[in-house]
């Protein structure tokens, strides 16, 4: 299973970016997917998660109201719409997924990370 993330880049404060992550490979069922980020000198933190079945989402307080996570189950993909970006959103963003590769085989996977830089 591979997770391919894209969409990072440079944005000005108050600007927007949209991240995408697609899972591919031996996938029986996707349980949930999410975005994490890690800023220089800081620990990796959860940004947003979404469950494939229910669509339930959990958004970190630091980005609530500015970031939206969505999914396309047919494409095994998730998206992170980031609006009103702030300098403190600068980080490497990682896609994460809990995927069944068989009926009873659940594993956790990480994408390669995509850099988001917010600067004027």
């Amino acid at each position: 299973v591979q997770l391919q993330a894209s969409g990072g880049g440079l944005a000005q404060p108050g600007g927007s970016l949209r991240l995408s992550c697609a899972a591919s490979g031996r996938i029986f069922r996707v349980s949930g997917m999410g975005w994490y980020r890690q800023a220089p000198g800081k620990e990796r933190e959860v940004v947003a998660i979404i469950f494939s079945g229910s669509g339930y989402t959990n958004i970190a307080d630091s980005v609530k109201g500015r970031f939206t996570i969505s999914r396309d189950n047919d494409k095994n993909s998730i998206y992170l719409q980031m609006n009103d970006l702030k300098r403190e959103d600068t980080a490497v963003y990682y896609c994460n997924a809990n995927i069944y590769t068989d009926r009873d085989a659940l594993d956790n996977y990480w994408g390669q990370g995509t850099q988001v830089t917010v600067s004027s």
Side-chain angles (χ1 to χ4, degrees):
V1 174
Q2 297 85 37
L3 300 182
Q4 182 66 45
S6 61
L10 175 65
Q12 293 187 343
S16 299
L17 286 172
R18 186 174 186 252
L19 304 183
S20 300
C21 176
S24 62
R26 182 184 172 88
I27 298 173
F28 178 78
R29 181 170 64 88
V30 177
S31 174
M33 298 179 72
W35 292 98
Y36 291 69
R37 68 184 181 185
Q38 188 167 19
K42 295 188 177 181
E43 294 186 355
R44 191 171 297 188
E45 62 177 1
V46 61
V47 176
I49 60 173
I50 186 167
F51 290 92
S52 298
S54 64
Y56 171 81
T57 63
N58 193 2
I59 310 293
D61 288 342
S62 59
V63 304
K64 197 168 292 184
R66 300 187 296 118
F67 291 12
T68 303
I69 187 170
S70 60
R71 74 193 195 279
D72 184 333
N73 289 342
D74 290 338
K75 296 181 179 179
N76 292 323
S77 296
I78 59 169
Y79 310 93
L80 187 68
Q81 179 64 43
M82 304 184 293
N83 298 329
D84 190 22
L85 284 162
K86 305 178 184 299
R87 288 182 173 82
E88 52 264 39
D89 295 319
T90 295
V92 178
Y93 284 69
Y94 296 92
C95 179
N96 180 270
N98 289 316
I99 294 175
Y100 286 89
T101 55
D102 205 337
R103 186 177 300 275
D104 299 314
L106 176 65
D107 285 304
N108 185 260
Y109 299 89
W110 288 95
Q112 82 282 13
T114 184
Q115 177 71 46
V116 171
T117 302
V118 184
S119 174
S120 55

